[in-house]
Amino acid sequence: MVEQDVLAALDGLLWLRTGDAVAERLGISQSSVSRVAGRCLRLFGIKGHKLDGEWDLIGDEPLLAAERRVHQIARWMGHRPLRLEATYWSGPLLCTPVPPGWILGECNIVGVQRNWELLRERIVDVWLSGLPDLPEADDPDLTSVTLSRMPVHCLVGEGHPLLDRPSLCFADLAAFPSLALPADAYPKVERALRKLGLWSSPVRMKRYQRQLWEGKTEQELTIGYGTALSLQLPGPAMQRLPLQLPIQSGEALVVRREFADTPAFQQLARTLHARLSQLAAGLPEVEVLPLDFSGSSGTAKAPPPPEP
């Protein structure tokens, strides 16, 4: 069995990207992160490479997957802090301070696909996701618990020509660029907005960068999107257009099925639900849902504890 800190160094780089971030969160000295991660790669006979700032692995990984499973079970048993990822808005608004027993990621990964990969590969334990792009009900690995729902608004910067219109329809928006992320970053959101003539101005980013997202809305004629919750983040005010988008956002916790019944996961859900309820008291658009774990339980048998 590989030492927990050795595998944590490698998986920390895959999750957090930089040695500084790994050292800060996982308690490994920054100077030894790369060295320890390299030793882990050699142990499993695989290689790592960095593309567009993201680390990836090359090679056959069944032994690594088996080792990750044991280490994840150990985290759920309380031997190491659990790993929580979140969106760029829910990280600071709901996950700060970080709940006891957890460490929080950078909260800047764009799109569902990479976040789901981190969960499936057992690098991350829970993701606080945004609706509507959640795992399907029959997903064999992942399940979710929805905490809230809220409408999504079109946003523009101050002085945008659309703010001067006496009335608006979605056809009026088509004349202006509208923010878009890489294909399939958020498939359900993308399909809904494309039907309205939106999602037309691509922004290439794997990690959230404010200047490429809200910055384009503030400084250009680009149409952006937001919710009552995301608008709580500090920054220049953006104006809502008087149109209701046909999608609902919200907050949901995504976890591997075999851990949905654990006390640690359910306590995390209660903690974030309480924080969300407190924040939503001043935001009438945010509908906080009753906590319901009945639909998140996995049908597979619980994994056995790791061997000592």
Side-chain angles (χ1 to χ4, degrees):
M1 178 174 174
V2 177
E3 295 176 6
Q4 292 186 58
D5 289 343
V6 172
L7 181 54
L10 174 61
D11 285 348
L13 287 175
L14 294 171
W15 174 26
L16 303 166
R17 294 205 304 177
T18 70
D20 287 340
V22 175
E24 177 185 351
R25 288 164 173 81
L26 300 184
I28 306 169
S29 68
Q30 194 279 334
S31 60
S32 63
V33 169
S34 296
R35 174 176 54 80
V36 174
R39 179 156 68 91
C40 190
L41 289 171
R42 291 191 294 273
L43 285 170
F44 289 104
I46 54 181
K47 296 182 179 181
H49 72 113
K50 204 168 188 180
L51 180 64
D52 294 335
E54 299 287 340
W55 285 98
D56 200 1
L57 301 182
I58 304 173
D60 195 20
E61 301 178 36
L63 291 178
L64 176 59
E67 195 73 23
R68 280 175 172 158
R69 179 176 180 273
V70 173
H71 285 222
Q72 184 176 44
I73 294 169
R75 292 197 299 274
W76 283 105
M77 293 176 67
H79 296 295
R80 288 290 191 279
L82 289 154
R83 302 170 186 173
L84 173 64
E85 189 53 79
T87 59
Y88 75 86
W89 65 88
S90 62
L93 293 174
L94 299 175
C95 302
T96 307
V98 182
W102 294 81
I103 55 176
L104 181 64
E106 296 280 79
C107 304
N108 64 358
I109 301 172
V110 173
V112 297
Q113 303 303 334
R114 180 55 180 161
N115 282 293
W116 291 355
E117 285 176 3
L118 291 171
L119 289 167
R120 294 187 200 281
E121 294 171 6
R122 302 177 187 271
I123 296 172
V124 168
D125 299 307
V126 176
W127 177 35
L128 181 54
S129 170
L131 271 63
D133 283 285
L134 297 176
E136 298 296 336
D138 60 353
D139 189 294
D141 300 321
L142 305 180
T143 186
S144 62
V145 174
T146 300
L147 307 180
S148 66
R149 287 194 296 258
M150 64 197 76
V152 182
H153 301 282
C154 286
L155 306 175
V156 294
E158 294 183 1
H160 195 287
L162 288 172
L163 294 171
D164 297 329
R165 302 281 183 93
S167 63
L168 277 179
C169 65
F170 285 112
D172 298 323
L173 275 58
F176 296 89
S178 52
L179 285 172
L181 289 167
D184 294 326
Y186 299 97
K188 292 180 181 178
V189 172
E190 179 180 349
R191 286 196 296 269
L193 296 185
R194 282 189 182 280
K195 287 180 180 179
L196 300 174
L198 300 171
W199 207 260
S200 63
S201 181
V203 176
R204 185 175 178 269
M205 60 177 181
K206 293 184 177 180
R207 299 274 176 158
Y208 171 75
Q209 299 178 58
R210 192 180 188 285
Q211 69 272 21
L212 295 181
W213 196 243
E214 282 85 353
K216 289 179 70 68
T217 302
E218 295 161 4
Q219 300 170 15
E220 303 176 13
L221 296 180
T222 307
I223 299 166
Y225 324 100
T227 67
L229 202 59
S230 67
L231 287 170
Q232 296 304 299
L233 294 176
M238 290 183 283
Q239 306 296 309
R240 300 183 185 185
L241 296 178
L243 292 170
Q244 186 73 49
L245 288 169
I247 51 175
Q248 284 276 305
S249 186
E251 308 303 313
L253 287 167
V254 185
V255 65
R256 289 191 66 93
R257 286 187 178 276
E258 64 259 42
F259 303 114
D261 288 331
T262 60
F265 173 71
Q266 297 192 1
Q267 181 56 51
L268 174 69
R270 292 187 185 97
T271 297
L272 298 180
H273 188 266
R275 293 180 181 182
L276 182 58
S277 298
Q278 185 175 13
L279 186 59
L283 301 171
E285 286 188 343
V286 179
E287 178 189 5
V288 180
L289 304 176
L291 272 180
D292 180 7
F293 298 108
S294 62
S296 62
S297 300
T299 56
K301 293 175 63 178
E307 297 181 1

